Amino acid sequence: MENIRVYSHSACLSKENGEGHPERKERLQSIMDSIQSLDTINIDFKEAPLAKYKDVNRVHPQSYLDEIFEMIPDDGLVGVEKEPYADTLLCQNSKEAILRACGAGIGASIDLMSGNFKRLFCAIRPPGHHAETTRVNGFCFINNAAVAARYLQSQFDINRVAIIDFDVHHGNGTQEIFYNDESVLYGSIHQYPLFPGTGMESEKGVGNIFNAPIDSGTTSEDFLKIFNEKILKNVDKFKPEVILISAGFDAHKRDPLAAINLDSEDYFLLTQAIVEIADRHCSGRVISFLEGGYDLLALSESIEAHFKGLSL
């Protein structure tokens, strides 16, 4: 059984989005409570460092970061996006939360390549997979997984990175960032049509993008079959040296923002299948990043199943 290191930070709890917003601090609190209750898995906790601008700039230009941080209010909330999706918000504590969330992936990358841990989880918010190179989107400011991928490639002898995204919403940001980069495979299974409206199978990049859009009401059995056939088989052929997971838990049947019918235990099966590929091709190296998931009970149960899969 593998030990798991968890990166998080209290600053990630200080990011406010206002009453009634689905991306709220209770999500992270629920997850941390569940992780801490897992007495059958050896879990090590570490504070996420602040991401350095030079590391973020491998994905996002400094002018983009400056524009975001200059909008941070002294009090209250400021919406960053234009209508109809003006729900990506900044509060006075946003800067540290954003940089800690990104820094978690950088810290995890260093630990991964040191050989101390093969499995790491970034328990963070705000999430990242909707953030494009120069566009805030879908609660996301910095693409945490993308920055980690670039960090691994620039600082270590890593050439091929696979990013597997099972959030119910397509990771338009991750796809946009790596669309013309054959060194990074991006595979996403997601409900379609649904926000953000991208992720058709015809979006293939340079042969490195694999999208598996699924219908509203998709069952667990069909989800797992499609995930294997359209995502994991292509990851297996790619033979990655590191696997990153955009781990959203909003394909759960309880989630209020989508209509897919996964049960909590299905996240064990999803994770187990990813870990098998990691063991085969990249010495078991996996970093998982929290993305979506908006029902607290579903999050609590699903994260336990995810960790049981990671620990294999």
Side-chain angles (χ1 to χ4, degrees):
M1 180 174 284
E2 291 291 339
N3 299 336
I4 301 173
R5 169 161 278 179
V6 175
Y7 271 91
S8 192
H9 197 279
S10 59
C12 293
L13 294 170
S14 67
K15 169 76 167 63
E16 297 289 346
N17 287 320
E19 188 174 351
H21 197 289
E23 205 295 281
R24 60 200 195 277
K25 65 182 179 182
E26 287 81 6
R27 300 174 60 242
L28 184 54
Q29 289 173 328
S30 172
I31 280 173
M32 293 301 288
D33 288 346
S34 291
I35 294 170
Q36 288 165 348
S37 73
L38 287 169
D39 52 10
T40 60
I41 301 172
N42 188 12
I43 299 172
D44 177 83
F45 294 91
K46 192 167 183 180
E47 281 201 340
L50 285 166
K52 297 177 181 177
Y53 285 151
K54 66 178 182 179
D55 295 325
V56 183
N57 293 159
R58 295 188 182 94
V59 172
H60 304 286
Q62 189 61 38
S63 58
Y64 168 74
L65 299 181
D66 291 342
E67 184 178 356
I68 292 171
F69 295 147
E70 285 167 7
M71 292 178 67
I72 291 175
D74 293 329
D75 192 28
L77 300 171
V78 170
V80 181
E81 296 169 291
K82 296 178 181 178
E83 296 291 351
Y85 298 118
D87 52 6
T88 304
L89 305 164
L90 290 166
C91 71
Q92 61 180 342
N93 302 316
S94 291
K95 184 175 182 178
E96 184 176 3
I98 290 167
L99 292 176
R100 295 285 184 187
C102 184
I106 293 168
S109 297
I110 294 169
D111 282 344
L112 188 78
M113 298 310 297
S114 74
N116 292 332
F117 292 88
K118 291 183 178 180
R119 316 270 203 266
L120 299 105
F121 183 78
C122 298
I124 51 173
R125 56 183 292 274
H129 74 151
H130 293 307
E132 299 179 1
T133 304
T134 58
R135 180 178 173 235
V136 169
N137 189 235
F139 315 155
C140 305
F141 301 89
I142 290 175
N143 196 306
N144 305 311
V147 171
R150 287 289 186 237
Y151 186 86
L152 285 162
Q153 290 180 322
S154 65
Q155 300 300 301
F156 301 99
D157 187 23
I158 295 294
N159 297 308
R160 296 184 311 283
V161 177
I163 302 176
I164 300 172
D165 190 336
F166 54 68
D167 189 287
V168 81
H169 303 95
H170 180 244
N172 56 296
T174 312
Q175 175 171 294
E176 181 265 340
I177 290 163
F178 298 113
Y179 201 71
N180 295 304
D181 184 350
E182 62 184 11
S183 74
V184 177
L185 178 148
Y186 176 67
S188 173
I189 183 168
H190 48 272
Q191 184 176 327
Y192 185 90
L194 191 66
F195 176 87
T198 52
M200 296 176 65
E201 281 193 69
S202 58
E203 299 164 19
K204 297 181 182 294
V206 288
N208 64 319
I209 305 293
F210 298 94
N211 286 311
I214 54 175
D215 295 331
S216 171
T218 294
T219 64
S220 292
E221 183 180 2
D222 287 342
F223 186 106
L224 293 165
K225 181 179 179 182
I226 293 166
F227 184 64
N228 181 63
E229 290 292 322
K230 296 189 175 181
I231 305 299
L232 295 188
K233 283 191 175 180
N234 288 301
V235 174
D236 203 20
K237 291 177 186 175
F238 181 68
K239 298 180 180 178
E241 294 163 278
V242 172
I243 292 176
L244 308 182
I245 304 173
S246 278
F249 299 95
D250 38 9
H252 195 285
K253 63 185 180 184
R254 291 179 55 93
D255 199 90
L257 299 190
I260 304 300
N261 290 308
L262 291 190
D263 292 306
S264 302
E265 53 266 30
D266 291 322
Y267 288 100
F268 169 78
L269 299 174
L270 288 175
T271 309
Q272 179 185 43
I274 294 170
V275 163
E276 287 175 358
I277 294 176
D279 286 340
R280 190 151 55 242
H281 296 299
C282 46
S283 303
R285 295 185 295 214
V286 177
I287 304 174
S288 180
F289 297 79
L290 176 64
E291 299 285 2
Y294 304 99
D295 179 89
L296 299 186
L297 177 60
L299 264 177
S300 179
E301 294 176 353
S302 299
I303 203 73
E304 289 185 21
H306 185 50
F307 267 62
K308 288 172 183 174
L310 286 175
S311 70
L312 294 175

